[in-house]
Amino acid sequence: MQVSEVRRAVAAAMSTASSLGLSVDDAIVLQDSNKLTLRLLPCDVLARVAPVAQQVAQFEVDLAQLLTASGCPAAALEPRVEPRVHERDGFAVTLWTYYEPVPPHEVPPADYADALARLHAGMRTLDVPTPHFTDRVEQAQRLVANRDRTPALADADRELLGDTLRSLRRVIGERGGAEQLLHGEPHPGNVLTTRNGLLFIDLETCCRGPVEFDLAHAPEEVGEHYPGADQDLLRECRILVLAMITTWRWDRDDRLPDGRRLAAEWLSQIRAALDRNG
């Protein structure tokens, strides 16, 4: 968010929580990306704030309730207030349980795989309308094709990303394997180590597809411990996901710190992975 938006978003979160009877004197910014994530004190509540026009908060709230009710390892909403989206000053505010991080900060791959498998098992029981993973691939393809949005992307790299996204989207889609509801981005940044075990957060990227698409976001060792994972499909999904996240970094509006350096490294990794896999 822009600095002026951050101030307004913090004020919206604090006033929303106060109006619901929670004690709020301070707000600590934990993450500033497409959403602003805050720790509100002294009530110790996690607030997620985004412009109303950009949010899919109601979907995330509804899905979190379904997952936690079925015992899935997902972060819960704040139990002291009504589980809904609050709108204030042009922002959508949702309130969540704050989990104090506990060591170890490096999650053992077997534990990571077990938590993700349990999340997937719970998701298989849900009938929730979501995009297909190929819809997200298509978003990346449109970004690669749009020179105005990706002006710094060199022609050779643009061709590499476009070809990789197109060919792997087709190859993975033609496999015709089992598909289900997925987290969408269960990378380490979306996994909390808590006293309640590992919990997944940030459900707004949920989509449908093979579980290997989710596994492709996790460290490589996790896939070795996930029961029944198709390792060939996983290798293809890893390259596809790498091409997608590389594409986001070339967006002129991307704000990830050091994003362009990462994008250059990832382009080299894509070329090496394509060479290894023929």
Side-chain angles (χ1 to χ4, degrees):
M1 290 187 184
Q2 301 290 340
V3 174
S4 59
E5 281 190 319
V6 169
R7 287 196 295 267
R8 289 178 48 239
V10 170
M14 293 179 69
S15 58
T16 295
S18 294
S19 71
L20 296 169
L22 298 171
S23 178
V24 184
D25 298 327
D26 193 15
I28 301 171
V29 176
L30 301 180
Q31 186 179 36
D32 179 9
S33 56
N34 60 321
K35 277 186 172 67
L36 189 69
T37 304
L38 308 167
R39 183 184 182 184
L40 305 181
L41 296 169
C43 61
D44 222 9
V45 170
L46 189 85
R48 304 189 72 205
V49 193
V52 169
Q54 301 175 12
Q55 60 90 24
V56 290
Q58 190 60 56
F59 168 80
E60 190 172 21
V61 165
D62 293 343
L63 184 56
Q65 291 181 86
L66 292 171
L67 290 173
T68 54
S70 62
C72 288
L77 292 151
E78 168 53 47
R80 288 172 285 179
V81 299
E82 182 184 353
R84 68 180 185 87
V85 180
H86 308 270
E87 293 190 11
R88 188 177 293 260
D89 193 23
F91 292 99
V93 180
T94 52
L95 301 176
W96 301 78
T97 297
Y98 175 77
Y99 298 94
E100 189 74 43
V102 298
H105 298 296
E106 290 294 328
V107 179
D111 293 350
Y112 201 135
D114 176 70
L116 187 55
R118 288 188 289 114
L119 180 70
H120 285 158
M123 285 182 155
R124 280 195 291 274
T125 68
L126 303 181
D127 183 15
V128 179
T130 59
H132 195 259
F133 84 96
T134 54
D135 296 333
R136 299 187 59 204
V137 180
E138 187 178 352
Q139 292 174 2
Q141 289 179 279
R142 289 198 298 267
L143 192 58
V144 168
N146 189 333
R147 292 179 180 272
D148 289 337
R149 289 282 304 277
T150 54
L153 185 58
D155 287 345
D157 297 334
R158 190 182 304 276
E159 182 178 5
L160 171 70
L161 288 174
D163 288 349
T164 302
L165 291 166
R166 181 175 57 256
S167 61
L168 285 175
R169 175 186 173 186
R170 175 183 55 78
V171 167
I172 294 169
E174 288 177 351
R175 280 181 170 268
E179 296 187 347
Q180 68 158 83
L181 181 65
L182 304 173
H183 180 287
E185 288 186 358
H187 54 69
N190 283 334
V191 183
L192 300 180
T193 305
T194 76
R195 293 184 181 88
N196 299 331
L198 299 182
L199 299 176
F200 290 90
I201 62 172
D202 201 354
L203 302 170
E204 65 181 6
T205 55
C206 283
C207 57
R208 293 195 69 81
V211 295
E212 287 79 8
F213 181 78
D214 260 3
L215 279 169
H217 292 79
E220 287 194 18
E221 297 84 354
V222 175
E224 298 170 6
H225 293 274
Y226 191 96
D230 183 328
Q231 296 300 322
D232 290 335
L233 175 56
L234 179 53
R235 278 191 290 272
E236 293 165 351
C237 285
R238 285 197 186 283
I239 302 173
L240 176 64
V241 167
L242 188 58
M244 291 170 65
I245 63 175
T246 302
T247 298
W248 309 142
R249 302 290 75 81
W250 290 103
D251 188 341
R252 68 186 181 197
D253 297 325
D254 184 62
R255 298 183 183 279
L256 184 73
D258 214 16
R260 291 297 168 82
R261 181 190 62 80
L262 288 171
E265 290 182 6
W266 292 342
L267 282 167
S268 297
Q269 291 178 25
I270 291 169
R271 289 188 170 91
L274 291 172
D275 287 343
R276 285 195 305 271
N277 289 277

